[in-house]
Amino acid sequence: MRRVLTACGVAIAVVVMVACSPTRHVPDGSYLLDHVKIETSDKGVKPSDLKSYLRQEPNHRMFGLFRFSLGLYNLSGNDSTKWFNRWVRNAGTPPVIYDPMLMENSRLQMEKAMFNKGYMAARVEADTTSHGKRMDVVYRVQANEPHYIDDVNYQIGNDTLSRLIERRLSRHSLLKKGDNFDRNVLDEERQRISDILRRGGFYAFNKELITYTADTADRSKAVDLTLTIRPDSLVNTERYRPYERYYMHNIYFVLSYDPAAADRIDVSNAGMYKNYYFIEGEHPYIRRETLVENCFIRPGLLYSSRDVDNTYTAFGRLRIVKYVNIRFELAGQNEKGENLLDCYILLSEDKPQSVSLELEGTNSEGDLGFAVGATYEHRNIFKGSETFSTKVRGAYESLSGDLSGLINDRYTELGGEVGITYPKFLFPFLRTDFRRRMKASTEYSVNFNFQQRPEYTRVIWGTAWKYKWTTNRGFFRHNYDLLDINYVYLPHKTEGFLESIAPDNPLLRYSYEDHFIMRMGYTFYCSNLNPSNPVQRRTNVYTLRAAGEIAGNLLNAISHLTSKSQPEDGYTLFGIRYSQYAKFDFDYSITHIIDDRNSVAFHVGGGIGIPYGNSDILPFEKRYYSGGANSVRGWSVRTLGPGSYNGNNSVSEFINQCGDIRFDMNLEYRAKLFWKVELGAFIDAGNIWTIRNYEAQPGGQFRLNSFYKEIALAYGLGIRLDFSYFLLRFDLGMKAYNPAAGQEHWAIASQNFKRDSAFHFTVGYPF
């Protein structure tokens, strides 16, 4: 590993040195665009706001100093027939050659942007300075005094729209007196009004019907603004009336729609259910009830663009539906003179079933083994877009050598899982409207695993009943585990097995003893991340996760009611002492986007698990661990903590290096280098602690007056390969402060690579 890192360091140093001669491939008579700077005379106009209007920018500098990608390109020679030259040129970035035409275009674009922001007298000058074969460009923005909104008036001839816009919508108008006369804000106000009207029944309305008139006095910067709706006589046609509301008439579901077929749809043989019409063809692959429950557009109600969007979202959750399109057609007027619309929801079916197989082989010091797995999935098992899935896996490995005293002469594992997911909130006595609004799914699952090892035979069984739903237009996600049962049973084990592996360690014994967990949990997750929105990707991204779970309370209450007193060893179910605890977790992260190539990410998280009642200790699988690729990266996984506990052997001590309290804090700088390669530089802090003073974990208990001395520190560098759909991460962490007793605490003062380093390879960012 040391040789690999040394080689990487030498390679980076060579590229950096070459980057110090950036004009190597700049033709004679041309200039390398070295620096570009924007200066503004108004504090209200930030240079960063105008950077997007630059038509030419210098080569990217890593850490603001080294043009790494340009240096990589400069490693190439002039002979393009050699593969090495072609490779480094494709991986690197060619020098940006100064272009006076692009500079002038940038200047004009900035002036136009300033004009649109209300600075109509703004002037932008571009100055150039050459030194050798390099060119610096400075754009000086003279903003001058902006025009501002002095008054806002409305000129709306239609009485209905006048009442809506002037009396109701104007209260939340984006046009404020005293604000700059910003054309972008004017357009946003047009869109806001149009969206609200279309959500309120005005099907044919659009923002192009809204215009503005701006009036300014001579030599005055004050603008009297008039918002105008074009007169009825200029916009009404025989087909659409944009200033009138439309009501929904007939709603048709077309189940086997072919986009390549003719637009005309034959509705003469349509079936009917709950006032909806169905054109199902020869193969009605989905139940009518499911379609109605996921449709927010209802007969007799006002047209609403929000209902249309919600319907698209709801049908996008149905895995049997491959394609959905919603179309509207005029349907005349009713006896009240109200305008009517017919709605056609056009659907096409996806493949209902899929099967996948997995096969692997193993060789453990000459002992051969294999494993086979299969997964079957049906996306429409009961014709309601329910997803049924089943997984089976079997593994076998032969054993050689002395097998005396063992109960099995092989490793064998058989496992399976069966689950079904309903695309709705499945619970008795719930109204259809509630199920429609929740956009929820209900999951039921059962899993089983049978393991034969030389020393024991173990059976693991579990079942779960879960709900998942979203709110606030998908930005809030909720997971509610109504019931989650985990049962572990060891029917056979070698005589004295537990005493031989853990005579005095209750943590290790617990992993090989029978146990039963019946828990309930809730997880809340929110984020402003929207990968489908390219504009949003350039803004800061935050995520928040909070979770809580409890276990054993119901069983404990039943035990108290049915038993006179609690046994010394605790209450049992099926002869097994069940777990009782409460657990809470919190994580927050934010990524600050510096520019399109640089960002800084911060994460803080914590959690606590409290055993009580029928339990003296948390179940092993519910305890926290520290170290690893997503924690304090100066330590390997499960080698840090708890507290000042010193785990000398990562193999035998890992069972002790777990706790009931966790704390993590991370800061990471991320920079895009070239091609798919990114660089990460990070600082991590954190540790775990125990609630109680366990004999097997000396120094691990959380104490308010000393815990801060036991927070470990680490730093390091990482290389990431971003392939859009997934990211490979290689991180090298180094210990800076080691809280373990008997160890040199400030490791950074006398760094030892073998002792203080940890290498991590994983998929995805740490947070």
Side-chain angles (χ1 to χ4, degrees):
M1 178 59 68
R2 184 191 293 269
R3 293 179 179 178
V4 172
L5 293 173
T6 301
C8 291
V10 171
I12 292 175
V14 170
V15 173
V16 169
M17 285 189 292
V18 175
C20 294
S21 303
T23 59
R24 178 181 179 186
H25 288 294
V26 176
D28 292 336
S30 298
Y31 297 93
L32 173 73
L33 186 62
D34 198 25
H35 294 92
V36 173
K37 186 178 181 181
I38 301 174
E39 298 177 352
T40 64
S41 62
D42 191 319
K43 294 182 179 179
V45 180
K46 299 178 181 179
S48 57
D49 295 337
L50 298 173
K51 189 176 180 181
S52 61
Y53 299 100
L54 291 174
R55 294 297 173 261
Q56 196 174 36
E57 294 187 63
N59 291 93
H60 169 67
R61 282 180 165 85
M62 185 175 66
F63 302 120
L65 299 173
F66 308 111
R67 286 176 276 220
F68 187 88
S69 56
L70 175 59
L72 189 65
Y73 182 92
N74 284 341
L75 289 175
S76 67
N78 294 322
D79 188 355
S80 60
T81 61
K82 295 183 178 180
W83 71 268
F84 177 78
N85 292 337
R86 293 196 305 271
W87 181 82
V88 293
R89 288 198 174 199
N90 288 331
T93 304
V96 177
I97 305 301
Y98 164 73
D99 187 334
M101 294 294 293
L102 292 178
M103 181 194 70
E104 177 63 14
N105 195 5
S106 300
R107 188 190 70 80
L108 293 175
Q109 290 295 321
M110 288 187 196
E111 277 194 353
K112 184 178 179 180
M114 293 294 292
F115 184 87
N116 289 336
K117 289 178 179 292
Y119 296 90
M120 299 181 183
R123 294 292 178 267
V124 179
E125 296 179 353
D127 294 334
T128 59
T129 304
S130 63
H131 41 98
K133 298 181 74 173
R134 307 185 191 189
M135 182 71 75
D136 293 339
V137 180
V138 179
Y139 295 93
R140 293 185 172 86
V141 181
Q142 188 66 35
N144 297 318
E145 187 179 354
H147 284 69
Y148 63 91
I149 299 174
D150 186 52
D151 195 15
V152 180
N153 299 296
Y154 296 88
Q155 185 176 330
I156 304 172
N158 185 281
D159 292 339
T160 302
L161 293 183
S162 178
R163 287 193 298 270
L164 280 171
I165 296 175
E166 293 188 56
R167 299 179 187 179
R168 293 174 55 187
L169 302 186
S170 61
R171 299 174 187 173
H172 304 286
S173 175
L174 302 178
L175 308 177
K176 308 292 185 183
K177 292 183 180 181
D179 285 359
N180 279 13
F181 181 65
D182 191 328
R183 293 169 182 255
N184 297 317
V185 176
L186 266 61
D187 194 60
E188 290 174 7
E189 176 68 2
R190 295 168 69 207
Q191 188 64 56
R192 185 187 74 90
I193 293 174
S194 177
D195 290 343
I196 293 175
L197 292 177
R198 285 180 56 81
R199 290 197 293 265
F202 293 89
Y203 166 73
F205 194 90
N206 63 78
K207 72 173 187 177
E208 303 304 326
L209 301 174
I210 303 175
T211 60
Y212 294 101
T213 302
D215 186 22
T216 58
D218 187 30
R219 297 184 180 180
S220 173
K221 301 297 182 181
V223 178
D224 290 335
L225 190 65
T226 302
L227 185 149
T228 304
I229 301 291
R230 294 173 62 186
D232 298 33
S233 58
L234 298 180
V235 298
N236 284 339
T237 66
E238 294 182 359
R239 289 182 55 79
Y240 294 107
R241 298 180 178 274
Y243 301 158
E244 296 180 9
R245 288 187 171 96
Y246 284 78
Y247 289 80
M248 301 311 305
H249 186 225
N250 295 330
I251 299 174
Y252 298 91
F253 291 97
V254 184
L255 267 63
S256 299
Y257 176 70
D258 183 4
D263 289 340
R264 190 65 182 173
I265 299 172
D266 183 10
V267 299
S268 58
N269 295 320
M272 191 174 183
Y273 173 77
K274 289 188 176 181
N275 296 323
Y276 290 83
Y277 293 89
F278 298 83
I279 304 169
E280 298 167 317
E282 298 179 356
H283 176 52
Y285 56 88
I286 189 168
R287 293 198 311 270
R288 296 178 178 182
E289 177 189 2
T290 300
L291 297 174
V292 172
E293 285 183 350
N294 286 277
C295 182
F296 288 77
I297 307 168
R298 284 171 279 179
L301 298 186
L302 278 172
Y303 164 86
S304 172
S305 60
R306 177 173 291 171
D307 290 343
V308 177
D309 293 338
N310 287 335
T311 302
Y312 270 116
T313 302
F315 277 94
R317 295 172 53 246
L318 303 181
R319 298 191 61 192
I320 192 59
V321 175
K322 180 180 181 180
Y323 169 89
V324 57
N325 186 27
I326 302 176
R327 198 166 73 193
F328 296 92
E329 292 185 6
L330 294 178
Q333 294 182 333
N334 59 17
E335 62 276 4
K336 299 179 183 179
E338 296 169 338
N339 300 310
L340 300 177
L341 287 173
D342 283 342
C343 174
Y344 296 85
I345 301 176
L346 313 174
L347 308 170
S348 61
E349 183 184 12
D350 203 351
K351 294 181 179 180
Q353 302 180 67
S354 64
V355 177
S356 62
L357 298 174
E358 296 178 359
L359 180 64
E360 61 183 79
T362 61
N363 184 348
S364 301
E365 298 180 353
D367 294 334
L368 301 179
F370 68 92
V372 179
T375 301
Y376 168 76
E377 188 175 76
H378 197 302
R379 302 181 183 89
N380 197 29
I381 188 69
F382 301 130
K383 291 192 174 182
S385 197
E386 305 90 351
T387 301
F388 172 81
S389 63
T390 180
K391 301 176 183 178
V392 293
R393 186 179 187 275
Y396 174 87
E397 183 177 320
S398 62
L399 291 178
S400 58
D402 184 9
L403 303 177
S404 58
L406 302 178
I407 60 174
N408 295 309
D409 60 355
R410 62 193 178 276
Y411 287 109
T412 306
E413 182 176 345
L414 295 173
E417 180 179 356
V418 177
I420 185 167
T421 301
Y422 293 84
K424 60 182 177 181
F425 205 111
L426 201 63
F427 202 82
F429 314 115
L430 295 180
R431 296 176 56 186
T432 301
D433 287 348
F434 176 81
R435 291 177 177 174
R436 184 186 288 120
R437 290 196 310 270
M438 289 298 288
K439 300 177 185 176
S441 62
T442 305
E443 299 179 6
Y444 303 107
S445 64
V446 177
N447 61 78
F448 176 82
N449 189 271
F450 174 79
Q451 302 172 356
Q452 281 187 327
R453 298 291 186 267
E455 303 88 356
Y456 63 87
T457 298
R458 180 162 59 177
V459 177
I460 302 174
W461 173 83
T463 186
W465 179 358
K466 302 180 180 181
Y467 294 101
K468 296 180 180 179
W469 70 95
T470 62
T471 56
N472 196 31
R473 292 177 294 176
F475 288 104
F476 294 169
R477 299 208 306 264
H478 311 262
N479 293 349
Y480 176 48
D481 301 343
L482 180 62
L483 180 67
D484 190 350
I485 297 176
N486 183 258
Y487 169 67
V488 177
Y489 172 55
L490 277 76
H492 306 290
K493 51 182 174 285
T494 56
E495 185 176 353
F497 170 63
L498 291 179
E499 287 69 23
S500 65
I501 65 168
D504 301 311
N505 192 331
L507 297 174
L508 184 55
R509 292 178 67 94
Y510 175 83
S511 300
Y512 295 95
E513 289 180 336
D514 302 342
H515 60 272
F516 185 92
I517 302 174
M518 188 172 78
R519 59 175 287 274
M520 176 189 297
Y522 169 75
T523 302
F524 170 78
Y525 178 90
C526 73
S527 175
N528 67 336
L529 178 62
N530 184 5
S532 62
N533 185 353
V535 176
Q536 194 267 347
R537 293 181 209 172
R538 296 194 292 269
T539 62
N540 296 341
V541 176
Y542 72 85
T543 58
L544 171 67
R545 177 186 174 274
E549 63 179 86
I550 55 175
N553 291 344
L554 178 61
L555 294 177
N556 194 256
I558 296 174
S559 298
H560 276 291
L561 292 174
T562 56
S563 301
K564 294 182 179 180
S565 60
Q566 181 172 349
E568 185 177 342
D569 294 334
Y571 293 115
T572 61
L573 181 67
F574 308 126
I576 301 173
R577 184 176 181 177
Y578 55 82
S579 299
Q580 188 174 8
Y581 64 88
K583 188 179 179 184
F584 307 94
D585 288 278
F586 171 85
D587 287 277
Y588 174 78
S589 64
I590 184 170
T591 301
H592 173 68
I593 307 299
I594 301 173
D595 54 39
D596 59 345
R597 300 183 69 93
N598 299 274
S599 62
V600 175
F602 172 77
H603 164 260
V604 62
I608 183 171
I610 306 171
Y612 61 92
N614 208 50
S615 294
D616 300 321
I617 190 170
L618 279 179
F620 177 73
E621 60 268 32
K622 297 298 179 180
R623 305 193 86 195
Y624 300 109
Y625 62 87
S626 192
N630 299 321
S631 181
V632 186
R633 282 166 279 185
W635 282 258
S636 299
V637 64
R638 288 189 183 275
T639 60
L640 172 60
S644 61
Y645 177 79
N646 186 8
N648 295 314
N649 190 317
S650 61
V651 176
S652 61
E653 294 282 357
F654 87 97
I655 195 71
N656 289 325
Q657 298 198 269
C658 55
D660 312 313
I661 300 173
R662 74 171 174 95
F663 170 74
D664 289 297
M665 187 163 60
N666 316 84
L667 183 67
E668 183 170 284
Y669 168 75
R670 299 166 182 169
K672 296 182 184 296
L673 297 182
F674 61 93
W675 188 52
K676 308 290 185 181
V677 182
E678 296 183 7
L679 174 71
F682 54 85
I683 299 174
D684 299 328
N687 205 338
I688 54 173
W689 294 267
T690 60
I691 286 284
R692 297 167 184 162
N693 186 18
Y694 297 113
E695 185 178 346
Q697 297 173 294
Q701 187 177 15
F702 180 88
R703 299 183 186 276
L704 193 61
N705 61 351
S706 62
F707 81 94
Y708 60 91
K709 300 177 183 178
E710 298 164 348
I711 296 177
L713 299 176
Y715 66 96
L717 294 174
I719 294 294
R720 291 84 191 270
L721 301 178
D722 187 358
F723 296 100
S724 298
Y725 294 103
F726 68 96
L727 180 139
L728 298 179
R729 175 160 57 95
F730 306 85
D731 285 345
L732 177 66
M734 298 292 294
K735 297 179 179 66
Y737 177 78
N738 187 352
Q743 298 288 335
E744 184 173 353
H745 290 324
W746 288 104
I748 194 173
S750 57
Q751 208 82 76
N752 182 302
F753 185 84
K754 183 177 181 180
R755 178 195 66 187
D756 299 331
S757 65
F759 179 74
H760 310 280
F761 166 61
T762 187
V763 176
Y765 286 117
F767 47 88

